[in-house]
Amino acid sequence: MKRTVITVGGNGMLSIPSNLENLWMSEGELVDMLHVTAPKLNSVIRAIYKEGMLLMSEVQQRQELSKGIWQTLYGFPMVVAICFRLTSNGAAQLRDAIFKRLYGAKEKTAIVLQLYGGTNAFS
């Protein structure tokens, strides 16, 4: 697997790869990008799993670095969930980048809400 990561440039700008399916980040990479401590990051991850927001089998995998040394990697859905639960500058910067990509999408989509069996569409 050729994994991609979100990086922070020398000027503090985030670089988000276009291929999000292969985006897997380690704890150390998340700590550096989000500007939080490892214990804070781990408590947020535990809370996400405890609340059932995401399934561990879908957003977490382990990668062997060398014989007997493993690291845990987190997928893009987990990275997004983490950034919406933190109040750090790095998390705010990632949230802003996500919103800019969503609002800047060229294709307009409709959001459909079902209320009491009826359908209301908003565009």
Side-chain angles (χ1 to χ4, degrees):
M1 166 187 80
K2 174 75 171 128
R3 72 180 183 102
T4 59
V5 297
I6 299 171
T7 58
V8 180
N11 57 359
M13 296 297 293
L14 289 177
S15 174
I16 302 173
S18 59
N19 184 1
L20 297 176
E21 292 173 1
N22 292 332
L23 189 128
W24 292 92
M25 296 185 70
S26 69
E27 179 182 304
E29 293 164 342
L30 288 169
V31 164
D32 290 341
M33 178 189 69
L34 298 171
H35 307 294
V36 295
T37 62
K40 179 64 176 175
L41 177 66
N42 286 323
S43 70
V44 168
I45 291 170
R46 279 192 309 274
I48 290 169
Y49 287 144
K50 184 177 180 181
E51 293 172 7
M53 289 176 58
L54 297 170
L55 296 175
M56 187 182 292
S57 60
E58 295 176 357
V59 296
Q60 181 176 321
Q61 61 179 246
R62 293 172 48 99
Q63 178 184 40
E64 188 171 20
L65 297 176
S66 61
K67 185 172 172 95
I69 299 175
W70 293 81
Q71 73 175 352
T72 303
L73 301 174
Y74 300 98
F76 184 67
M78 177 59 88
V79 173
V80 171
I82 290 168
C83 87
F84 277 94
R85 292 188 66 114
L86 291 172
T87 58
S88 68
N89 288 337
Q93 191 176 16
L94 182 56
R95 284 192 303 270
D96 291 343
I98 291 168
F99 285 134
K100 283 180 186 174
R101 281 204 178 177
L102 287 174
Y103 290 135
K106 295 187 189 315
E107 180 180 312
K108 298 294 181 187
T109 58
I111 299 172
V112 178
L113 302 174
Q114 282 192 322
L115 305 171
Y116 304 109
T119 303
N120 295 324
F122 301 95
S123 46

